[in-house]
Amino acid sequence: MSIHGQCQCGNIKTKWNCIDYSMSPRACQCDYCANKQAAYVSKPGSLFELSIIDKRHHRQVKQGSETATFHECSYCNSLIAVTVEIDQILYGILNAKFLNNKIEFADAIETNFDGQSIEEKRQRWQRNWCRAKIT
């Protein structure tokens, strides 16, 4: 089973292979994510793929600790996913706002990880995020 999604203009497409979509998105409260109204979903052990049609409009942004990479479409200004490479493995989370989930996600839960060190964040991401592939 998979869920598909895309940015507003269709330049960045997603396909998430996961067997359980009954989750609550996490709405990060940092200024950047709150401004984008992002709420993220992930499931350890699952895989998502980002397919970028026009790479000229694939904007990669670093925020906060500058450890993770935020993937946006510069044409429509949509934030689609966040990734980080740990031990040569790409992990990521998807912005639920741009996924076509027929059963719908639960309401977003506000989260704040400001007090975590970079190492604590990396451990949390490795434990909780999906595997990711970008083409």
Side-chain angles (χ1 to χ4, degrees):
M1 190 162 114
S2 60
I3 287 182
H4 297 265
Q6 65 181 32
C7 64
Q8 291 173 337
C9 71
N11 184 51
I12 301 176
K13 299 182 184 294
T14 62
K15 178 183 177 187
W16 184 22
N17 297 313
C18 187
I19 58 171
D20 178 15
Y21 301 109
S22 59
M23 60 190 76
S24 296
R26 296 173 303 279
C28 178
Q29 296 304 294
C30 76
D31 291 340
Y32 181 78
C33 291
N35 184 46
K36 296 282 187 177
Q37 298 177 335
Y40 302 105
V41 290
S42 64
K43 192 63 103 172
S46 66
L47 170 72
F48 74 78
E49 298 177 48
L50 287 183
S51 300
I52 298 142
I53 310 304
D54 185 344
K55 296 191 185 324
R56 295 174 299 169
H57 293 293
H58 176 216
R59 181 171 52 217
Q60 298 180 64
V61 177
K62 299 278 190 177
Q63 289 293 316
S65 65
E66 296 192 7
T67 307
T69 303
F70 294 77
H71 299 271
E72 301 178 351
C73 177
S74 63
Y75 186 75
C76 64
N77 204 34
S78 300
L79 169 59
I80 303 301
V82 184
T83 61
V84 65
E85 187 174 315
I86 302 171
D87 297 331
Q88 300 177 347
I89 297 171
L90 190 63
Y91 294 92
I93 53 177
L94 292 162
N95 187 351
K97 179 179 178 178
F98 296 102
L99 293 173
N100 301 318
N101 183 0
K102 293 177 185 170
I103 62 169
E104 298 188 6
F105 295 111
D107 292 338
I109 298 169
E110 291 184 1
T111 59
N112 187 326
F113 299 107
D114 285 345
Q116 285 189 328
S117 69
I118 292 173
E119 186 55 34
E120 289 170 322
K121 288 179 183 182
R122 290 172 61 84
Q123 288 174 5
R124 176 173 47 84
W125 297 336
Q126 190 173 24
R127 206 175 38 248
N128 297 323
W129 287 13
C130 311
R131 296 283 179 101
K133 180 179 177 182
I134 301 173
T135 57

